[in-house]
Amino acid sequence: MPLSRRARRLLPVAFLLAVLLLCAAALVVGTRARLPVPGTADDPAAGARWPAEGQAAVVVGDGLVHGSGHQRPVPVASVTKVMTALVVLEREPLAVGEEGPVLTVTAADVADADRRRARSESVVGLGAGDRLTLRKALLALLLPSAGDVAHLLAVRTAGSEEAFVELMNARARELGLGSTRYVDASGYDPGSRSTARDQAVLARTALQDPAFAWLVRQRAVTLPTVGRVVTTNRLLGRSGFVGVKTGSTTPAGGCVVVAAHRRVDGREVLVVGAVLGQRGPDPLGVAFGEAERLVDAVAGPGS
């Protein structure tokens, strides 16, 4: 049937619209082809396996930080001590292997440790008059997670723990950790809160300090009065894990920040992960399991 005059006039317009639609479709396909594919070298962290509860975050090398849903500030327990150590080291840098100045434990420090022990906070229990180097004090802070040493370092660095906490919060703001607020140097107070995303960023920053990176790789330290104490990090030394910090209280649940060397796209990178708010009979064990699965999901087990 012959086309009407009006239909013939509309043919060029229809043809032009079809061409434009085809161009738009090609542009969309091209754009999608350039988007990261989950779990590939384009964006390995996009393949992250998130825990069923709590929250988590992971960053591969210098890439973007990926986080699970529900990133809201929660208690982080002794993971707080990552910031404590960073603030101390930025004010009194140590070279790897350097002992640093000697600290003397006072009667007030011992009384503070007794108060912390009475409320079931993690302490090592140094004696009055004990002398230990700054390096050993930081090891006591980070390995057995000594709350009494966190207080000792805070007072030595800033004059009081309250003044030290101000330094911690100022550093958090400088790093853009907008969901992080500290109220103590040890993390025992549930008011010290953060998100997994913020803690992954903080750990990656702290690990850029060679002294901090060395400290969190150690498995034990010998202290005066106390003797040998070991790390709480059950993953350390396994499958390339090189740190970082654990924390566990009733309000916080099991919390861990981990770092592991992995080969991704033919090169070795550092994968940093944070897992917060894990529960169960062994909340730290659950957090370690989730952290290990998270790292393996983005980089491959033992890669």
Side-chain angles (χ1 to χ4, degrees), residues 1 13 55 68 117 163 177 187 199 205 247 258 266 275 286 291:
M1 180 183 295
V13 176
Q55 58 183 277
S68 63
R117 185 185 292 107
L177 309 182
Q199 289 305 302
T205 300
V258 300
V275 175
V286 175

Side-chain angles (χ1 to χ4, degrees), residues 17 31 49 56 59 75 77 115 146 181 231 236 249 259 288:
L17 286 172
T31 302
R49 176 180 170 180
V59 56
R115 285 192 297 271
R181 179 176 178 269
T231 181
L236 190 65
T249 60
F288 280 126

Side-chain angles (χ1 to χ4, degrees), residues 136-273:
K136 285 199 170 185
L138 287 166
L139 286 169
L141 174 80
L142 294 167
L143 274 57
S145 202
D148 51 340
V149 177
H151 176 76
L152 184 156
L153 286 168
V155 172
R156 179 184 179 277
T157 301
S160 69
E161 186 163 347
E162 292 74 18
F164 186 83
V165 168
E166 290 181 10
L167 297 178
M168 295 170 71
N169 286 317
R171 191 67 178 105
R173 290 191 294 271
E174 291 170 0
L175 291 172
L177 309 182
S179 298
T180 298
R181 179 176 178 269
Y182 298 107
V183 299
D184 67 346
S186 71
Y188 182 81
D189 191 315
S192 286
R193 292 174 171 251
S194 186
T195 62
R197 281 180 180 270
D198 277 7
Q199 289 305 302
V201 171
L202 173 60
R204 182 170 64 174
T205 300
L207 286 163
Q208 292 170 4
D209 184 322
F212 180 90
W214 182 88
L215 289 165
V216 295
R217 286 200 307 270
Q218 306 312 300
R219 299 190 185 190
V221 60
T222 300
L223 302 172
T225 298
V226 182
R228 187 175 184 269
V229 291
V230 299
T231 181
T232 57
N233 190 342
R234 304 177 200 173
L235 292 178
L236 190 65
R238 287 174 43 191
S239 303
F241 281 91
V242 292
V244 174
K245 189 72 191 74
T246 70
S248 181
T249 60
T250 299
C255 305
V256 298
V257 178
V258 300
H261 291 295
R262 290 286 189 269
R263 290 195 68 80
V264 177
D265 195 25
R267 62 190 181 94
E268 186 174 283
V269 297
L270 188 67
V271 180
V272 177

Side-chain angles (χ1 to χ4, degrees), residues 85-101:
L86 180 63
V87 170
V88 170
L89 284 168
E90 287 182 339
R91 277 154 183 76
E92 193 147 16
L94 288 177
V96 174
E98 182 183 5
E99 291 291 339

Side-chain angles (χ1 to χ4, degrees), residues 68 71 113 120 147 158 188 211 237 258 282 298:
S68 63
Q71 294 278 321
S120 300
Y188 182 81
V258 300
D282 179 14
V298 302

